[in-house]
Amino acid sequence: MRGNIRYLLALLMAAFAFIPYYCNTQKNEVTGEVQHVDMSAEQEIALGLQAAPEMAAQYGGLHPDQQARAAVERIGQKLVQSTKASQTPYQFKFHLLADEKTINAFALPGGQIFITAGLLKNLTTEGQVAGVLAHEIGHVVARHSAEQVAKSKLTNGLTGAAAIGLYDPERPGTAASAAAAAMVGKLLTMRYGREDELEADRLAVDFTPAAGYDPRAMLQVMEVLDRGNGSANPPEFLSTHPNPGNRIQEIQRDIEADFPQGLPAGLKP
């Protein structure tokens, strides 16, 4: 009887995870995709604005060089105004973080975008900076954070249901099965992250030329990231980011697909 009740609870928990996920869909006007999201653009903006100060504090706050901060903002806004990003409701703001050691850039939902001084000092051209910022703009307009929230709720619900269904307190050996179900859920979430990174790269290949920048500068950025990872780079299937070497191949394919006759002349490197 206890087993039947446990299985029934597991099925109900799985249903409560499935139904909201598959019923809440919206079409993305930039990518054309139908996405499973359960928050509005206004909620994304509010969430990003709320999280921005704490995220900046984790990297030592904003960089004191106001000229460098203004340059990052200028390049970022040029990308926004030249692309479909300007047609979205998102409030884009570009921040240069004071952290000189960490090589990183990231976007919060709603348009708050950050790049560390550690990454910026390794970039040698304006086009490389544009490539990084365009990638982060891609995350925002593709609504990856909103998708991740919805996917996380689904994954947590399903792995919780699996754990309830698999674990029998009278059979301690079933604890291993429940732990395995939780690990599968974690790997699925990481898989979503890698796919999001590649989509953001594809969008950046579209956005950079529209703003007058050479998308091939992104290949140089990947080389910087590859050097920054060094020997500490984890196996790709356990990382939320694809290996930079693999991203180089994907970016090259994206450029060739978008510009089969070659890139326009006069793009800024």
Side-chain angles (χ1 to χ4, degrees):
M1 177 65 72
R2 287 182 180 177
N4 291 336
I5 293 175
R6 192 172 69 249
Y7 294 142
L8 179 59
L9 287 174
L11 287 172
L12 287 173
M13 190 172 181
F16 281 122
F18 262 117
I19 292 172
Y21 181 77
Y22 283 100
C23 288
N24 290 321
T25 59
Q26 298 179 33
K27 182 178 180 180
N28 189 307
E29 297 301 326
V30 175
T31 66
E33 299 175 0
V34 176
Q35 298 176 287
H36 295 281
V37 292
D38 58 359
M39 67 172 64
S40 66
E42 290 72 21
Q43 288 172 315
E44 290 179 81
I45 293 169
L47 183 62
L49 289 172
Q50 181 180 359
E54 181 180 347
M55 293 301 297
Q58 291 182 19
Y59 291 86
L62 297 180
H63 199 283
D65 187 337
Q66 294 187 3
Q67 186 174 357
R69 284 163 49 188
V72 169
E73 176 71 12
R74 174 182 58 79
I75 296 169
Q77 292 300 339
K78 184 177 180 181
L79 287 160
V80 170
Q81 297 305 319
S82 303
T83 63
K84 290 182 179 180
S86 64
Q87 301 170 17
T88 69
Y90 299 120
Q91 300 173 3
F92 288 94
K93 182 69 177 175
F94 300 86
H95 309 275
L96 175 60
L97 298 170
D99 191 331
E100 297 274 354
K101 297 181 179 179
T102 304
I103 296 177
N104 197 15
F106 56 91
L108 295 178
Q112 300 298 308
I113 292 175
F114 299 82
I115 180 172
T116 63
L119 175 53
L120 184 64
K121 71 181 181 181
N122 280 278
L123 304 179
T124 57
T125 71
E126 189 170 314
Q128 292 175 11
V129 179
V132 171
L133 299 182
H135 172 93
E136 300 306 332
I137 292 169
H139 279 306
V140 175
V141 300
R143 307 192 70 187
H144 288 155
S145 293
E147 280 190 314
Q148 286 286 359
V149 169
K151 288 173 181 175
S152 179
K153 289 179 181 178
L154 174 64
T155 302
N156 290 341
L158 293 180
T159 53
I164 290 173
L166 291 170
Y167 179 59
D168 184 349
E170 297 179 358
R171 297 167 57 206
T174 59
S177 297
M183 178 57 71
V184 169
K186 180 68 172 176
L187 291 174
L188 284 173
T189 302
M190 289 180 173
R191 173 66 177 173
Y192 297 143
R194 291 198 302 273
E195 292 171 349
D196 289 348
E197 294 299 327
L198 294 177
E199 183 175 35
D201 282 343
R202 289 193 294 271
L203 289 167
V205 169
D206 293 337
F207 292 166
T208 45
Y213 296 107
D214 192 327
R216 291 173 296 190
M218 294 172 59
L219 303 174
Q220 299 155 7
V221 173
M222 293 303 110
E223 294 171 357
V224 169
L225 296 177
D226 203 16
R227 291 195 299 270
N229 281 330
S231 59
N233 197 24
E236 183 176 344
F237 75 95
L238 287 178
S239 173
T240 57
H241 284 62
N243 182 281
N246 294 344
R247 288 174 70 183
I248 286 175
Q249 297 176 3
E250 292 291 335
I251 291 168
Q252 288 174 328
R253 281 194 283 266
D254 293 337
I255 293 173
E256 291 170 2
D258 283 4
F259 302 96
Q261 305 302 319
L263 287 160
L267 295 177
K268 185 177 294 187

